[in-house]
Amino acid sequence: MSLTGSALLAGVIGWPVGQSLSPALHGHWLRQYGIDGAYVPLAIAPADFSRSIDGLVRAGFKGFNVTVPHKESAFALAVRHDAAATAIGAVNLLVTTADGLEGRNTDAYGLAATLTQHLGAEALRGKTAAIWGAGGTTRAAIHALDGLGVAEIRLFNRTPAKAVALASSFAGKTAAKLSGAGYDAWSGRDVALIVHTTSAGMKQTPSLDLGLDDLPAGAAVFDAVYNPLETGLLAKARTRGLKTVDGLWMLLHQAVPSFEAFFGVRPEVTAALRAELVKALQGG
Ligand code: ATR
């Protein structure tokens, strides 16, 4: 539908932003729900971040999704943070409020909703999960898994010290027991779920080559990478008979709270939405 003068406005801020799938995603929901609103890509250089946001808020924008390299500036700009943004230490959603921008993080929600959809809400309660990686996405994954009642989270990373430091930075903040180690300590025994959070496997790069043979039969593997949809890791897990979940699901689910904050409707993750995004990913 065409926009009126009172259309609701939102967008995604990045530098660059051309690769973002968020306009396609939110555009699908705007059409589905017949909302008088627009969601636009906003290419904003780091030096222009705060004054651009100031101008856009003055122009009536309801909020923004924030991606690389602005996540830290967004955290600093927010007058308040929700519990997830505070726990994760990063903001991917800025919502305009009466007294300034509220910083939120929807990545942990996106992963929790994905795992709930594919494995069931109680499937991980009391279980042990492994996370491969120790970066920004890992922080969101720890928060999500802790929220799902996982009893123990083991971090494995190429640089072991980063995994150890990340685990200790959450000390006292999670109900789950946390530990960090290098890949040489990797073992799949007792692991109900692997969450892969590094960039290995993206585009044409090889996936991490860690063994999956000692995982229990009912275990699952989630890969945060969504391009390609089936990474080397997921292909190997599928061959091994394990349950696999790709990163596109997390991308779809993490957008739900953002859309609701901007446009006032809680949207659904549907097969039609996923099909449209798969097409966009494949360049069509
Ligand atoms: P993000 O915010 O996307 O999580 P990040 O904070 O830069 O990104 O973290 C990148 C993660 O991917 C790190 O765990 C990094 O491992 P190191 O800590 O050892 O650098 C990991 N990583 C990136 N490329 C990798 C590769 N080719 N093999 C193994 N790990 C890789």
Side-chain angles (χ1 to χ4, degrees):
M1 68 188 256
S2 59
L3 299 176
T4 72
S6 46
L8 303 171
L9 304 175
V12 55
I13 301 178
W15 184 257
V17 78
Q19 79 297 344
S20 175
L21 291 173
S22 294
L25 221 171
H26 288 268
H28 177 96
W29 281 329
L30 286 168
R31 287 191 300 279
Q32 179 182 344
Y33 296 105
I35 291 170
D36 181 19
Y39 183 101
V40 294
L42 298 160
I44 295 174
D48 297 329
F49 184 69
S50 60
R51 60 183 168 159
S52 299
I53 290 210
D54 183 56
L56 292 162
V57 168
R58 286 166 194 270
F61 270 65
K62 297 292 178 195
F64 313 92
N65 288 118
V66 181
T67 181
V68 186
H70 298 302
K71 288 190 177 186
E72 282 172 13
S73 315
F75 193 92
L77 197 65
V79 295
R80 267 190 312 281
H81 301 93
D82 72 355
T86 303
I88 297 163
V91 155
N92 73 341
L93 168 62
L94 286 169
V95 180
T96 306
T97 70
D99 60 343
L101 290 161
E102 182 170 309
R104 303 184 191 172
N105 191 304
T106 70
D107 284 334
Y109 165 81
L111 178 58
T114 297
L115 295 174
T116 298
Q117 176 192 350
H118 291 272
L119 310 178
E122 294 299 315
L124 296 168
R125 191 163 297 282
K127 301 283 176 56
T128 295
I131 305 180
W132 292 358
T137 313
T138 313
R139 298 187 67 87
I142 292 170
H143 190 61
L145 294 177
D146 189 49
L148 290 171
V150 167
E152 183 176 346
I153 303 169
R154 299 177 189 154
L155 311 182
F156 297 89
N157 194 44
R158 178 175 62 182
T159 311
K162 271 169 77 178
V164 173
L166 185 52
S168 26
S169 77
F170 275 90
K173 294 179 184 155
T174 57
K177 180 182 160 203
L178 247 76
S179 61
Y183 290 136
D184 55 347
W186 163 247
S187 158
R189 250 182 306 137
D190 311 327
V191 170
L193 170 73
I194 295 171
V195 174
H196 172 250
T197 66
T198 86
S199 47
M202 215 180 265
K203 307 263 172 66
Q204 307 304 328
T205 65
S207 283
L208 296 179
D209 194 21
L210 300 176
L212 300 179
D213 288 342
D214 55 357
L215 284 161
V221 179
F222 168 79
D223 198 332
V225 172
Y226 57 79
N227 190 9
L229 274 181
E230 186 175 77
T231 58
L233 170 62
L234 291 187
K236 187 158 103 177
R238 180 171 51 79
T239 308
R240 162 83 172 67
L242 302 171
K243 195 165 178 105
T244 61
V245 185
D246 67 61
L248 185 57
W249 288 111
M250 180 173 164
L251 183 79
L252 301 178
H253 282 289
Q254 63 80 32
V256 167
S258 295
F259 188 89
E260 185 178 22
F262 303 144
F263 303 113
V265 172
R266 190 160 183 92
E268 259 188 287
V269 172
T270 60
L273 172 66
R274 180 162 163 105
E276 186 168 330
L277 268 284
V278 169
K279 223 171 127 196
L281 259 180
Q282 289 161 352

